């Protein structure tokens, strides 16, 4: 069907058209997320600072009387049909169904069994491959829907860990924990300072006063598994190995790159001879410190400093981590020229996807118009923009 705004009523109506009337239909919502700051350090043991936003992927689900599983998506034609007793394996031909089967596979590996199958209809208002975590919204929303429908009582933290395990073992994407964690555990009007080494979080009030975040989508399609994400992660692992084998005593038992302070990095950086590896490590260490400083600035109601840390983060991702590119750099630089914008950076894995900007509310419309004009003139096609508020994590509606 033609792309439209998804609502609960629309999803229920379309579900009944596809699967017929019946008892027990439930609908769940899974939010997208932005990462305020702390990019590419979740898998390096760092602190990240994400928040759920009010853009949702929806899952409608109802048990069947047999062992059949049927997946449909409101905006993509065709059904995927399996048996709940299947030993699921990744198959490129299964498209988005791989994310769902990966969750079921992970549940089965943890000893969960299912007495019957189910019908499922998915629809999303989250831009796909846009850097605000559409795949994690799908994984966590589906996992929560299955858990609640079958009375599995899986904790929110375990929902996140299952999403990550599925990415690693089923989708073959060596992702960190941030996306799944915030989507599973987020609370409205807060961001989470998540310690990715300990898998512990602290809620921090997200008080933006007369400012709001504007999400700027490059509209450059890219898939995380096909990007340079895994390459960057491997480079970080090489950097950690080099430091552990160096002559510096404080590096020998280094648990992860983000355990280093900037002062320690300056002492030991000479051990890293490869200039590319050196840049990757410098980004991780400096970004981790920016997260801590940014959170303190937010607690102190210092939004100007928050904006400066956002910009510094983008520059590090551009120069040291090399994960931005023409599209993201154009959005960020254009954003910072506009009245009312006090900070901007890429968010997500990069290499396309989205950036965010912290913009005064009464300047949002003129901001979007001006950035769109410059972006189109430089890149050759339009970006997509939307202001966003905060949201709770996965929920039944």
């Amino acid at each position: 069907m033609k792309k439209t705004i998804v609502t609960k009523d629309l999803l229920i109506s379309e579900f009944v058209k596809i699967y017929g009337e019946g008892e027990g239909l439930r609908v769940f919502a899974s939010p997208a997320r932005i990462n305020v700051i702390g990019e590419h350090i979740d898998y390096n043991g760092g602190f990240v600072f994400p928040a759920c936003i009010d853009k949702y992927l929806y899952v409608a689900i109802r048990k069947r009387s047999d062992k059949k599983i049927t997946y449909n998506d409101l905006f993509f034609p065709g059904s995927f049909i399996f048996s709940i007793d299947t030993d699921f394996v990744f198959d490129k031909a299964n498209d988005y169904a791989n994310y769902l089967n990966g969750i079921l596979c992970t549940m089965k590996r943890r000893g969960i069994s299912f007495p019957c199958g189910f019908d499922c209809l998915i629809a999303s208002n989250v831009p796909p491959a846009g850097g605000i975590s559409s795949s994690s919204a799908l994984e966590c929303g589906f996992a929560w829907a299955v858990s609640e429908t079958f009375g599995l009582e899986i904790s929110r933290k375990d929902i996140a860990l299952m999403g990550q395990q599925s990415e690693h073992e089923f989708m073959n994407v060596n992702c960190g924990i941030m996306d799944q964690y915030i989507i599973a555990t987020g609370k409205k009007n807060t961001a989470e300072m998540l310690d990715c080494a300990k898998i512990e979080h602290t809620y921090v009030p997200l008080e933006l006063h007369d400012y709001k975040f504007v999400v700027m989508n490059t509209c450059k399609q890219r898939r995380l598994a096909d990007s340079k994400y895994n390459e960057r992660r491997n480079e970080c692992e090489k950097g950690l190995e080099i430091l552990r084998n160096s002559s510096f005593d404080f590096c020998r038992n280094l648990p992860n790159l983000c355990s280093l302070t900037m002062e320690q990095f300056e002492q030991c950086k000479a051990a890293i001879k490869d200039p590319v590896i050196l840049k990757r490590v410098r980004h991780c260490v400096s970004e981790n410190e920016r997260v801590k400083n940014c959170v303190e600035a937010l607690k102190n109601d210092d939004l100007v400093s928050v904006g400066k840390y956002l910009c510094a983060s983008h520059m590090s991702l551009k120069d040291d981590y090399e994960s931005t590119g023409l599209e993201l750099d154009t959005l960020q630089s254009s954003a910072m020229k506009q009245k009312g914008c006090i900070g901007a950076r890429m968010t997500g894995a990069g290499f396309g996807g989205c950036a965010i900007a912290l913009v005064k509310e009464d300047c949002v419309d003129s901001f979007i118009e001006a950035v769109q004009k410059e972006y189109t003139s430089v890149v050759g096609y339009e970006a997509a923009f939307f202001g966003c508020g905060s949201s709770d994590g996965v929920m039944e509606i």
Side-chain angles (χ1 to χ4, degrees):
M1 68 182 291
K2 184 179 178 181
K3 186 72 173 179
T4 188
I5 299 299
V6 183
T7 63
K8 178 182 178 180
D9 289 344
L10 174 65
L11 197 63
I12 290 173
S13 172
E14 294 298 322
F15 188 100
V16 171
K17 287 180 185 178
I18 296 169
Y19 298 118
E21 298 280 356
E23 297 294 322
L25 175 59
R26 302 174 71 174
V27 179
F28 299 84
S30 185
R33 67 98 185 100
I34 58 171
N35 189 24
V36 178
I37 192 167
E39 220 63 75
H40 283 288
I41 57 174
D42 57 337
Y43 52 83
N44 286 297
F47 286 93
V48 293
F49 195 50
C52 293
I53 62 172
D54 53 358
K55 292 286 183 181
Y56 301 98
L57 175 141
Y58 298 90
V59 179
I61 187 170
R62 186 176 67 200
K63 289 181 183 178
R64 295 177 60 96
S65 59
D66 55 20
K67 293 296 187 81
K68 185 183 291 186
I69 300 171
T70 307
Y71 303 137
N72 278 278
D73 188 289
L74 197 58
F75 300 121
F76 298 97
S79 296
F80 293 97
I81 301 173
F82 305 92
S83 167
I84 192 64
D85 295 330
T86 298
D87 291 327
F88 296 105
V89 294
F90 179 88
D91 185 339
K92 190 174 183 179
N94 288 337
D95 196 44
Y96 72 85
N98 282 305
Y99 289 100
L100 312 181
N101 290 343
I103 292 294
L104 294 177
C105 181
T106 300
M107 288 180 171
K108 287 184 173 187
R109 287 177 181 175
R110 294 189 176 203
I112 294 170
S113 59
F114 297 91
C116 62
F118 54 86
D119 293 321
C120 183
L121 177 62
I122 293 162
S124 181
N125 294 326
V126 180
I132 55 175
S133 210
S134 54
S135 60
S136 293
L138 177 59
E139 290 163 349
C140 293
F142 177 71
W144 188 251
V146 169
S147 176
E148 293 293 288
T149 298
F150 286 90
L152 303 179
E153 297 184 346
I154 301 172
S155 71
R156 288 179 176 272
K157 182 175 181 178
D158 276 339
I159 290 291
L161 292 171
M162 283 183 173
Q164 185 190 39
Q165 183 182 348
S166 175
E167 288 272 9
H168 288 184
E169 298 176 2
F170 198 89
M171 301 300 294
N172 197 31
V173 176
N174 206 12
C175 68
I177 189 63
M178 178 187 70
D179 292 351
Q180 292 88 353
Y181 198 94
I182 183 63
I183 289 169
T185 66
K187 290 185 179 180
K188 190 172 183 176
N189 298 323
T190 70
E192 284 185 5
M193 189 176 184
L194 171 60
D195 183 336
C196 296
K198 297 179 180 178
I199 318 297
E200 297 174 352
H201 68 278
T202 302
Y203 293 108
V204 179
L206 195 59
E207 300 287 352
L208 301 179
H209 302 291
D210 56 349
Y211 285 83
K212 71 185 306 179
F213 281 110
V214 176
V215 176
M216 308 179 289
N217 189 343
T218 64
C219 295
K220 176 184 179 181
Q221 294 297 307
R222 59 104 180 94
R223 289 186 179 272
L224 192 60
D226 298 330
S227 74
K228 295 186 177 181
Y229 178 94
N230 287 339
E231 179 184 315
R232 291 294 182 277
R233 183 159 184 162
N234 289 335
E235 289 166 344
C236 291
E237 290 171 354
K238 288 179 183 176
L240 181 60
E241 182 181 5
I242 290 168
L243 291 175
R244 285 173 173 170
N245 292 323
S246 72
S247 61
F248 296 92
D249 290 340
F250 62 85
C251 290
R252 296 211 177 133
N253 296 310
L254 201 64
N256 51 64
L257 290 179
C258 290
S259 297
L260 287 172
T261 65
M262 279 304 296
E263 182 180 4
Q264 289 173 324
F265 170 75
E266 291 298 332
Q267 293 176 40
C268 68
K269 67 181 183 181
I272 306 174
K273 306 301 182 185
D274 185 323
V276 172
I277 301 298
L278 179 65
K279 289 195 296 183
R280 306 299 187 251
V281 174
R282 181 168 56 217
H283 167 73
C284 293
V285 178
S286 64
E287 184 78 348
N288 198 46
E289 296 211 351
R290 277 188 291 273
V291 174
K292 297 175 187 177
N293 293 335
C294 185
V295 170
E296 285 305 307
L298 187 61
K299 289 179 179 178
N300 292 329
D301 222 18
D302 183 1
L303 291 183
V304 172
S305 291
V306 169
K308 290 178 179 177
Y309 290 125
L310 299 186
C311 292
S313 172
H314 186 91
M315 291 304 108
S316 182
L317 289 158
K318 175 185 177 183
D319 298 330
D320 280 350
Y321 220 71
E322 298 178 281
S323 59
T324 58
L326 173 65
E327 296 84 3
L328 287 167
D329 290 337
T330 300
L331 285 176
Q332 196 275 341
S333 62
S334 178
M336 291 310 300
K337 298 173 188 175
Q338 310 308 323
K339 178 183 177 182
C341 179
I342 58 174
R345 63 181 290 274
M346 63 154 271
T347 188
F351 312 106
C354 287
I356 56 172
L358 190 53
V359 184
K360 205 161 189 179
E361 286 185 347
D362 59 7
C363 295
V364 167
D365 290 344
S366 60
F367 169 88
I368 290 173
E369 182 180 358
V371 176
Q372 181 73 280
K373 182 177 180 180
E374 181 170 349
Y375 181 81
T376 305
S377 69
V378 172
V379 176
Y381 54 86
E382 290 189 343
F385 300 81
F386 62 86
C388 60
S390 65
S391 171
D392 289 315
V394 288
M395 69 195 92
E396 184 168 10
I397 56 172

